[in-house]
Amino acid sequence: MGNSEIIGKSAPIRDAVLKVTGEMKYVGDMKMPGMLVAKVLFSPYAHARIKSIDIEEAQKLPGVHAVVCCKNTPTLKYNSALRFFEHKIPETEQVFPDVMRYVGDRVAAVAAEDEKTAEAALKLIKVEYEELPAVFDVEKALEEGAPAIHEGGNKVGEIFSEAGNVDEAWAQCDRVFEDRYSMPPIHHLAIETHTAIADYDSRGKLTVWTPCQNTFNHRVLLSRIFKFPMTCVRVIRPAIGGAFGGKNEMTIEPVAAVLAIMAKRPVKLVLNRKETMIATRTRHAAVAYIKTGVKNDGTVLAQEFRM
């Protein structure tokens, strides 16, 4: 071990020089010939159904090349947390759903020559919503009669695990403590906001540049959503400007992709800080009930968790 070239010695971070000199290229730095700018219209409601949506005026605005919504995009349901082909998880998401399930859900998007034109086009989109009962508390969501956010109710399933005989252990405990703990949602707040560039070429090949944490699941999902063979979908991960788990799941990539397919030009979508916080991912909130049995000397004999 004494002759090791690595262990016990300091080593430079592989891309440190590129970062401190500003040479590192992030997706937000990238430019392509003919690239359009995308902007997204987000839901102002926690739970609402789109009764009608009119994108005609936005499409007519000079400089606008594509306007997309639930009327003209793939309706396939998927789960952005998919990790591999055989992964069996509930599929409730759509690129553009017709029912909004949180403030920040995607209503529509545009691709235009510049950001100013894209923002102006968003204001021309007319949406009529039917506001639906919402639920904001996980325990109230499980109560009988609670508003169902998804078909089949709010309870997706249960996971149960045990080791040993907990019921017998309680009788041997000198003290038993029971507490309820609540943890708020936490945003990962990476310095780099969520960003994606998509290009769809004349050969029918879709390429997406994204600072994601899993190029493989993004490729599988994009292939399924657009019904492209895997050989026609490429996902490239340049440098990541921070993620911490917040860029594991696919979020805005299919929006950039569908705009690029429709406009037949490269499309770049960069969320600002507010958009990233309301429309991508947080570490979810949780409520935990913990019961702990101990001996007087501090030895833990039993614990029961309900999350």
Side-chain angles (χ1 to χ4, degrees):
M1 295 295 289
N3 296 324
S4 171
E5 296 180 6
I6 302 296
I7 298 173
K9 298 179 176 65
S10 62
I13 298 174
R14 178 179 56 83
D15 54 6
V17 173
L18 295 175
K19 287 179 177 177
V20 299
T21 58
E23 293 179 69
M24 179 68 78
K25 290 292 183 288
Y26 297 89
V27 178
D29 299 321
M30 295 170 59
K31 295 179 181 179
M32 299 178 68
M35 189 167 68
L36 302 173
V37 175
K39 295 294 288 185
V40 181
L41 179 65
F42 298 103
S43 171
Y45 298 107
H47 196 198
R49 178 177 287 105
I50 295 177
K51 293 178 68 176
S52 66
I53 183 166
D54 185 350
I55 60 175
E56 191 172 336
E57 291 302 314
Q59 289 172 318
K60 292 178 181 177
L61 187 69
V64 171
H65 290 262
V67 183
V68 292
C69 63
C70 59
K71 285 185 173 181
N72 60 353
T73 53
T75 58
L76 180 84
K77 290 188 176 181
Y78 62 90
N79 189 316
S80 59
L82 182 89
R83 291 291 182 268
F84 46 87
F85 273 108
E86 298 82 7
H87 198 180
K88 302 299 181 185
I89 44 180
E91 296 177 330
T92 59
E93 300 174 62
Q94 291 173 288
V95 181
F96 289 98
D98 59 358
V99 175
M100 307 293 102
R101 293 185 169 87
Y102 58 94
V103 173
D105 211 346
R106 296 188 293 262
V107 177
V110 302
E113 291 288 344
D114 52 61
E115 187 173 355
K116 185 178 180 180
T117 304
E119 289 177 343
L122 288 186
K123 295 176 182 177
L124 296 175
I125 298 172
K126 300 180 180 70
V127 188
E128 182 183 0
Y129 299 96
E130 176 193 351
E131 197 168 356
L132 302 171
V135 61
F136 303 98
D137 180 280
V138 65
E139 291 177 297
K140 290 180 180 177
L142 295 174
E143 292 176 358
E144 188 175 349
I149 305 304
H150 291 283
E151 293 178 11
N154 300 325
K155 188 175 184 179
V156 177
E158 287 185 80
I159 299 173
F160 182 77
S161 179
E162 66 177 345
N165 191 321
V166 178
D167 293 331
E168 284 185 5
W170 297 130
Q172 302 170 32
C173 297
D174 295 317
R175 299 188 181 196
V176 176
F177 301 91
E178 292 188 65
D179 293 286
R180 177 187 182 275
Y181 301 90
S182 62
M183 292 144 280
I186 299 171
H187 195 270
H188 305 84
L189 207 69
I191 294 176
E192 177 192 37
T193 61
H194 280 63
T195 305
I197 294 175
D199 182 39
Y200 184 66
D201 67 23
S202 57
R203 299 170 300 165
K205 292 187 178 292
L206 174 67
T207 304
V208 176
W209 291 261
T210 169
C212 70
Q213 292 177 267
N214 190 337
T215 57
F216 302 102
N217 81 314
H218 281 52
R219 189 169 173 237
V220 171
L221 285 168
L222 291 168
S223 170
R224 289 183 180 178
I225 290 169
F226 296 107
K227 297 181 180 178
F228 292 162
M230 288 282 284
T231 52
C232 290
V233 179
R234 186 182 183 197
V235 177
I236 300 172
R237 183 201 63 77
I240 298 180
F244 320 114
K247 293 173 184 172
N248 264 318
E249 286 82 28
M250 186 178 71
T251 54
I252 62 172
E253 290 81 5
V255 177
V258 74
L259 286 167
I261 292 168
M262 188 173 292
K264 295 181 174 57
R265 294 218 350 223
V267 172
K268 182 177 184 177
L269 174 55
V270 180
L271 300 190
N272 61 33
R273 179 62 60 195
K274 179 181 177 180
E275 292 169 341
T276 293
M277 293 185 76
I278 67 169
T280 59
R281 292 293 182 269
T282 61
R283 183 176 297 127
H284 60 265
V287 174
Y289 289 86
I290 303 177
K291 181 179 179 181
T292 304
V294 300
K295 300 293 285 183
N296 283 330
D297 65 2
T299 303
V300 178
L301 295 185
Q303 280 194 309
E304 188 175 81
F305 295 85
R306 184 162 64 90
M307 299 291 293

